[in-house]
Structure formats: structure tokens, C-alpha cells
């Protein structure tokens, strides 16, 4: 990972671009807990903007200014869903139907326009439109928009 990020940072320098990396695609690895010679990836690459979605509501990453988390909401488990008002991160919600303007008192922004979650303003719902098989999901992961 360190080698790949180093290559990417060098590539971005050549292209005069700022590097940003989403470490978890389908996983939810808590990178803040993994140490390499006593440092985590955010310390090693302090000039890189990292971001992820997470299902883990208790993650503590506020000390890492270059790591942005968006919590993925679901009503599939009400114990999990009850974390909604306790989450300090922006919250991603998958909607089926028209994207609402507000959800549970928070403004909804269109998360399908870009994946760069660290650019979102704070305290918002990142609305994602259900796609593919998710359009038929009735587990509680997809919220039926009205």
C-alpha cells in the first residue's frame, strides 16, 4: 500500500493534481488502527486526502485532518439505525424513488454527482439513488423515498 500510494503521489505531482484516495471500496478496514513502524497511513502520507464510507458508527478519526468518513445508514437493524442522531459524520443514505430535500431533519445532497465526500459541507445526508438489484431491496438498507 505504501509503495502504491507513493507512486500515486508522484504521479499527481507530475500532473499538478492533489492526491485523494478512497482506501475502502467494498471493505470497512479501520486504517487508523494499522501501524507501520508506529505510524498509520494518514501520518505517513499527511499531504494526501483520504476518504471512506463506514458502517462502524463508533470510529474515532477526528484527529486525522486528512481522513474523512461518511457513515452508511441502514434501517435493516434498528439498533444500528438508532445511531443516526449520535453520528458526527455526514451520513450516506440510499434512496429508492425521488431524492428527498431533507431526511430526518438534515439537508440531502446528491452523492451521485461525485464520490469526493470530503468536499461535502458538514451535517448533511449524502443521498445515493438505488441502482441495479438495490431498487428491489426491502431489507431496510434502501430507504423508500416518498
Amino acid at each position: 500500500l505504501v509503495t502504491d500510494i507513493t507512486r500515486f503521489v508522484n504521479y499527481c505531482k507530475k500532473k499538478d493534481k492533489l492526491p485523494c484516495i478512497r482506501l475502502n471500496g467494498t471493505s470497512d478496514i479501520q486504517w487508523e488502527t494499522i501501524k507501520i513502524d508506529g505510524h498509520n497511513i494518514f501520518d505517513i502520507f499527511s499531504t494526501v486526502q483520504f476518504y471512506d464510507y463506514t458502517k462502524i458508527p463508533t470510529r474515532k478519526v477526528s484527529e486525522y485532518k486528512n481522513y474523512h468518513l461518511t457513515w452508511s445508514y441502514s434501517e435493516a437493524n434498528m439498533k444500528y439505525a438508532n445511531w443516526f442522531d449520535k453520528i458526527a459524520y455526514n451520513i450516506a443514505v440510499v434512496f429508492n424513488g425521488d431524492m428527498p430535500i431533507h431526511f430526518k431533519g438534515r439537508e440531502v445532497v446528491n452523492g451521485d454527482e461525485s464520490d469526493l465526500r470530503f468536499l461535502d459541507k458538514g451535517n448533511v445526508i449524502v443521498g445515493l439513488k438505488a441502482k441495479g438489484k438495490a431498487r428491489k431491496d426491502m431489507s431496510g438498507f434502501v430507504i423508500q423515498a416518498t
Side-chain angles (χ1 to χ4, degrees):
L1 180 62
V2 170
T3 300
D4 286 345
I5 293 174
T6 300
R7 286 182 186 143
F8 182 64
V9 167
N10 290 336
Y11 171 83
C12 289
K13 282 180 186 172
K14 288 178 189 173
K15 298 290 184 181
D16 197 29
K17 301 288 181 189
L18 297 174
C20 62
I21 298 172
R22 181 174 167 190
L23 292 169
N24 291 313
T26 57
S27 59
D28 204 348
I29 297 168
Q30 296 178 62
W31 293 101
E32 63 275 14
T33 66
I34 299 171
K35 304 290 182 181
I36 304 164
D37 294 329
H39 302 282
N40 67 30
I41 206 76
F42 314 118
D43 296 326
I44 296 167
F45 294 99
S46 61
T47 61
V48 175
Q49 176 63 60
F50 294 94
Y51 66 107
D52 276 318
Y53 291 85
T54 185
K55 285 278 195 194
I56 304 168
T58 56
R59 287 181 71 181
K60 306 275 191 260
V61 298
S62 60
E63 69 185 88
Y64 305 107
K65 302 302 178 208
N66 61 330
Y67 191 39
H68 182 277
L69 283 179
T70 300
W71 184 59
S72 295
Y73 178 75
S74 172
E75 292 179 355
N77 175 316
M78 287 317 291
K79 183 178 176 186
Y80 178 81
N82 286 335
W83 277 92
F84 185 90
D85 292 324
K86 299 173 184 92
I87 298 299
Y89 315 127
N90 286 348
I91 301 173
V93 179
V94 179
F95 293 103
N96 200 3
D98 293 333
M99 191 86 61
I101 296 171
H102 292 92
F103 179 73
K104 293 187 177 253
R106 290 194 192 190
E107 176 187 357
V108 176
V109 298
N110 187 341
D112 288 326
E113 291 178 350
S114 168
D115 188 51
L116 302 177
R117 298 281 61 92
F118 57 92
L119 295 177
D120 296 332
K121 61 184 175 180
N123 202 36
V124 297
I125 299 298
V126 178
L128 302 166
K129 203 155 184 71
K131 298 165 191 72
K133 292 180 183 177
R135 288 180 289 185
K136 297 185 189 292
D137 181 281
M138 300 305 279
S139 70
F141 173 71
V142 176
I143 305 302
Q144 302 305 313
T146 55

